[in-house]
Amino acid sequence: FFGGLFTGYTIYRNLYTGAFETASHLLNAQLGAFNTAVLIFSSLTMALAVHAAQTGRRKRLITYLISTMALGIVFLYIKFILEWHHEYVEGLAPGLHFTYSGPQAAHVQLFFCFYFLMTGVHALHMIVGESVMAVLLVMAWRGKFSQQKYNPIEVMGLYWHFIDIVWIFLFPLLYLLGARF
């Protein structure tokens, strides 16, 4: 699914480079960069959770799962409450409320279609990850994991790293297209 989105984005970015660059300048690259740091740090805490599970350190596993979840919530808060809300208020949300009237407005709106779809699908994957981690947290609290049984934590770690990797591609594609900090 992401492959199709990235392909479509690349095709239209090459067709309408100027409009996509203009639209990219309307995004808050500083918030995007901060969110990138949040996700990279969450990858670290997730890796530490996997290590804690592998070594049978239940309290550390719980601490690192909570830390990873908290960082995920910070990311989602910034994305939805700060960024998306601001973009909606500014009239950058595609559809009936799109009010950008600068040059190539239709192509700027196309950029924002990709932006909201790609970041929305990414956020949906994060919400699923948060939900699964909540279940794993309860299981860890109940002592369901040991040095011999930690595979669910390891698989969750792989999923979480996938989410982070996708963001590592989304950030420069969306925010750094001629961005100024």
Side-chain angles (χ1 to χ4, degrees):
F1 188 73
F2 274 112
L5 289 173
F6 281 116
T7 301
Y9 174 87
T10 302
I11 289 168
Y12 285 109
R13 176 181 165 176
N14 287 327
L15 289 173
Y16 309 115
T17 304
F20 273 48
E21 186 173 323
T22 297
S24 179
H25 286 255
L26 299 173
L27 297 176
N28 188 330
Q30 291 175 326
L31 282 179
F34 183 78
N35 252 354
T36 302
V38 167
L39 276 188
I40 289 170
F41 194 63
S42 79
S43 266
L44 170 65
T45 58
M46 190 67 227
L48 292 170
V50 171
H51 184 263
Q54 291 170 334
T55 56
R57 294 188 170 116
R58 184 175 151 262
K59 288 182 183 179
R60 286 187 182 183
L61 170 60
I62 291 167
T63 300
Y64 290 131
L65 284 175
I66 291 170
S67 298
T68 304
M69 292 174 69
L71 289 165
I73 290 167
V74 167
F75 178 94
L76 292 171
Y77 175 83
I78 291 169
K79 176 54 57 196
F80 288 133
I81 305 302
L82 299 182
E83 286 190 88
W84 278 20
H85 179 265
H86 172 76
E87 289 145 3
Y88 178 80
V89 168
E90 292 296 315
L92 299 175
L96 297 176
H97 299 288
F98 188 77
T99 59
Y100 177 81
S101 59
Q104 301 180 346
H107 299 138
V108 168
Q109 184 172 212
L110 179 62
F111 171 89
F112 278 102
C113 287
F114 277 107
Y115 167 77
F116 280 100
L117 185 60
M118 293 169 93
T119 59
V121 170
H122 178 263
L124 178 64
H125 280 83
M126 287 193 67
I127 292 167
V128 168
E130 291 276 341
S131 301
V132 172
M133 262 192 279
V135 171
L136 294 177
L137 179 62
V138 170
M139 291 174 69
W141 189 267
R142 293 180 180 167
K144 300 290 185 185
F145 301 113
S146 67
Q147 287 176 293
Q148 293 76 33
K149 185 183 175 195
Y150 59 85
N151 193 50
I153 300 293
E154 194 167 43
V155 171
M156 182 64 229
L158 292 172
Y159 178 82
W160 196 255
H161 295 317
F162 167 75
I163 291 170
D164 292 348
I165 288 169
V166 169
W167 182 257
I168 295 298
F169 283 97
L170 287 176
F171 174 63
L173 283 176
L174 299 172
Y175 290 82
L176 300 182
L177 184 58
R180 295 172 295 241
F181 280 88

